[in-house]
Amino acid sequence: MAKLKLAVLISGRGSNLQSLIEACRGLDFPAEIVQVISNVSGAGGLERANQAGLPNAVVDHTAFKSRDAFERDLDGILDRSGAELICLAGFMRLLSDKFVTARGDRIINIHPSLLPTFKGLDVHQRAIDAGVRFSGCTVHFVRPDMDCGPIIAQAVVPVYGNDDAATLAARVLKQEHIIYPLAVKFIAEDRITVKNERVIIENSSINVASTINPPPQY
Ligand code: GRF
């Protein structure tokens, strides 16, 4: 069966890009990366794309007069690449309503919190400050509002009393690298439907009653 063609949009170090690169190396993995785009020249993720021999481009938003012009350039590269699904992976630009709605359910994002809590930036410090016992990460379809859209997959991690933003970020990031390829796989296998802005996944079930932090027995 033909593999789903992905474009991955980045702004930084690209560890989530790397997790997708590695997943796509699996012969049975139903997707392949056809294009990497960074809006920041010199982003670490570009080096990862080069190492993997992937077509990559820089579309520096500061070089454009308007967001419209920036997005027209993005559009051109995406169209020529033949990408069928756009994966935002640490892409730090907001995309316009027009860009997002034109693509329907063909843009996904990964965010390092359990959405809909802690949208936006500085999420780990805000989670610690709020005293939550769990945090995590979310892969979701993109909608015009920031960090909104039907949730495809989430992973939960405990927050410990001695965590700082860096230790929590590292714990969450490990899970990001698991759930992003997983969400792509579900989409590529055509197992996902969005109904009333909720994602229904065919043949998936969970068998965990609960996770409690602090643990009731210690
Ligand atoms: C990740 O934590 C992702 O969830 C967020 O930005 C970070 C990007 O990290 N949107 P990387 O560039 O993929 O390493």
Side-chain angles (χ1 to χ4, degrees):
M1 217 172 95
K3 296 198 178 213
L4 183 73
K5 293 183 169 54
L6 312 177
V8 185
L9 270 55
I10 60 166
S11 302
R13 75 192 149 177
S15 71
N16 278 289
L17 164 65
Q18 189 69 43
S19 75
L20 292 171
I21 290 173
E22 275 154 32
C24 289
R25 284 199 178 117
L27 290 182
D28 292 342
F29 195 75
E32 60 180 339
I33 301 172
V34 295
Q35 182 70 54
V36 174
I37 303 177
S38 171
N39 69 312
V40 176
S41 66
L46 289 167
E47 184 50 34
R48 298 178 192 267
N50 278 327
Q51 293 251 327
L54 295 173
N56 59 85
V58 175
V59 185
D60 177 356
H61 60 280
T62 63
F64 294 87
K65 283 215 177 84
S66 63
R67 187 157 68 166
D68 216 43
F70 167 65
E71 290 185 350
R72 269 202 302 276
D73 221 70
L74 273 186
D75 261 332
I77 297 174
L78 290 168
D79 287 349
R80 285 192 294 278
S81 73
E84 299 160 295
L85 180 71
I86 299 171
C87 303
L88 308 182
F91 183 67
M92 303 302 282
R93 294 306 295 170
L94 279 181
L95 295 164
S96 69
D97 289 19
K98 190 174 136 205
F99 187 96
V100 169
T101 47
R103 284 181 170 72
D105 292 335
R106 283 177 292 128
I107 312 179
I108 62 175
N109 181 43
I110 183 142
H111 182 76
S113 78
L114 292 173
L115 291 174
T117 60
F118 305 116
K119 295 171 181 166
L121 298 174
D122 200 21
V123 291
H124 302 299
Q125 190 57 53
R126 285 161 52 215
I128 289 168
D129 292 346
V132 293
R133 290 281 177 256
F134 292 99
S135 190
C137 48
T138 304
V139 182
H140 63 98
F141 286 109
V142 170
R143 295 292 181 260
D145 286 339
M146 186 184 61
D147 299 328
C148 282
I151 291 169
I152 303 165
Q154 291 186 309
V156 175
V157 304
V159 180
Y160 300 126
N162 59 356
D163 268 329
D164 58 24
T167 56
L168 180 55
R171 193 173 309 121
V172 170
L173 192 64
K174 270 195 187 164
Q175 302 305 312
E176 294 185 38
H177 299 159
I178 296 169
I179 66 168
Y180 214 0
L182 185 69
V184 168
K185 182 172 183 285
F186 281 136
I187 294 170
E189 290 174 346
D190 220 5
R191 289 168 62 187
I192 285 191
T193 3
V194 181
K195 204 174 165 195
N196 299 328
E197 290 298 86
R198 286 181 62 195
V199 168
I200 298 158
I201 306 178
E202 221 175 79
N203 297 327
S204 87
S205 61
I206 182 166
N207 191 15
V208 181
S210 73
T211 309
I212 301 174
N213 179 23
Q217 284 160 350
Y218 51 87

